[in-house]
Amino acid sequence: MKCGRCAGDDSPGHPVCARCEQWRPIQPISVQVPGPVNNDHTVPPARIDAPARQVTSSGPSPAPVARGRRPLAQDTTRYLCVAMQTDRRLAAATLEQVLDEPHKAVASSPGVDLATVLKYALAARDRQRIRDLVLALLPFWAVLGLLSDPAVMPIMLALLAAGIFIATWAVLITETLVTYYRVIFPLLRREAFDPADAPEPRSPHDRARLAEIAASDRGNVVVSASYRPFPGYGGELETWSVTLNMAKAEEGESVIPFQVHELYDHVGDAIGGLGLPGVSVEDRLVVNGRDLLRGLDPQVRRAVLPDPLGTPVLDIDDALMRRLRDDLIGHARPYLTVFVAGWNGELVVTIFLRLALLPGRDLLFVEASYLLLPPSRDRYRKVDGLLGHPTGRQLSNIACESFVRSFLAVPQGLAATLSLLRGPWNGWTKARRDRRAILFDRTFNYGTEFSVRERSNDNSYFRYFQKLDQELYVKTVERRIFDAITDFMERHNIDTSDFSQRQMTILNNGVFVTGQGRVDAQNIAAGKGSAAGAAARQNQPQPQAR
């Protein structure tokens, strides 16, 4: 296969050119990607399991968007694996909120191989448990030493205290070196990373749970736990909605009737034809976890939750998705979901688009929510500069950091060991409490708010062009949505003048002044008949340039 940069020959599926050592955009022969060759190193991974979107002609009952597993973002998954090895709090929260929740749904983030991330989290937990046990036993060895010769207890007490501290320091240094140079360097560098090499858990229960989580990544259902409906897809950038009159025909014409499925398919095909890197279009159903036991249509409830004591099924068939498009009052909402993944999946813009045709076919309600997953934190990215052996400065830094941690390491290890001993009891009481909430109270929340991808995000871009690319993705897809809706209305002889005005209101929601001053306002109206944009920003810090 020819490299797009140096024209060198490489084997198909190899993500890095052996001649110029650059990432190459590689697609299987069966997948057709329109647009020019991408030369900005923002390429999809070599293995792509999702089938190409099939363009279908408008008809009375078009099928929903073809689904499939989205391309995995190798760098994003790799950085999350590094985080599991180096950030104990994040790894513990991930295992507690994802692996150890047998009844809750999983927040799947675009491009993340969550099962691989959890495997590295389990391996880190096993290693840290051994370290904590060794640290917890150090004081007991000291007590045994004192009891063996109580006559010289004051002297022995000082010596044993110093010995415990030195031993603790040595344990922490050893564990850190093992983490970086026996796990991270040989397995998690860009050149060496392979999800197939992830350590397999010893527990059959954990292996079965990981298989369920891997399957959920290929699903098309999002189950949220709270007001925020899209867990795992990042912070909200913007929302807007419009209502359009679909009964007003163009002058001298009559409106051609249509179904909302035709509009979904037309818009999805238009977006799928964009030449943006890593763009994919899918249908997704969004439900709230509190509605699965009560509040949903029985057919939807049986499809998403066939077993109340099990985990929600995160994949429904196309027929049910199609039927829910016509349901305007149900709590389960179908969305056309657009993913644009750039910078090898480290920057992901997701757009949730809903089209609702009101009874009588007179009014069309369109809503859109834009979400952003920024790059991972910089400390997880330092693996890219890691050498095979620590330098003198690195050894010094590890020794200093371990020295500071040694003062509290023994009590922390003792507390962690005692918590591990209480684990079976805590698990039993939690399972009993959840079972009661499911079978008797009927108040159990099957949704989730936790996302390891969101927890590892940085609030800064590490490249100036990432901010520009984020705006490129949003504005390009947004323009294509409006153009597709306009084209569909014109094909059905519907007057587009009202929609054109509303489109300009949404697109022109910022005013820029050149020269010495600059004004960047999100909602400005000026002049007779002007209207301000309806963009809504989430109350959380947006990524800023470093």
Side-chain angles (χ1 to χ4, degrees), residues 444-486:
F444 187 77
N445 189 343
Y446 290 90
T448 182
E449 291 182 345
F450 180 87
S451 167
V452 63
R453 175 72 167 88
E454 292 180 349
R455 287 288 185 93
S456 67
N457 286 347
D458 205 336
N459 285 329
S460 301
Y461 296 111
F462 66 92
R463 292 288 188 275
Y464 170 76
F465 298 112
Q466 289 180 332
K467 181 178 184 299
L468 296 182
D469 285 352
Q470 173 246 304
E471 297 177 2
L472 166 68
Y473 302 155
V474 169
K475 295 182 183 300
T476 303
V477 175
E478 187 176 60
R479 170 64 72 175
R480 183 57 62 94
I481 291 173
F482 290 133
D483 290 347
I485 295 176
T486 301

Side-chain angles (χ1 to χ4, degrees), residues 209-282:
R209 178 64 177 148
L210 286 176
E212 294 179 0
I213 293 171
S216 70
D217 276 345
R218 296 186 291 271
N220 61 352
V221 179
V222 179
V223 185
S224 64
S226 61
Y227 175 83
R228 194 168 73 103
F230 310 116
Y233 296 93
E236 187 178 90
L237 285 174
E238 181 180 344
T239 63
W240 57 263
S241 62
V242 295
T243 304
L244 306 175
N245 185 359
M246 307 302 282
K248 183 180 179 182
E250 295 178 341
E251 185 176 355
E253 302 287 347
S254 59
V255 174
I256 301 176
F258 67 94
Q259 295 182 352
V260 71
H261 318 292
E262 300 177 54
L263 180 56
Y264 266 104
D265 198 62
H266 183 81
V267 174
D269 289 335
I271 298 172
L274 286 172
L276 291 175
V279 64
S280 61
V281 186
E282 300 177 7

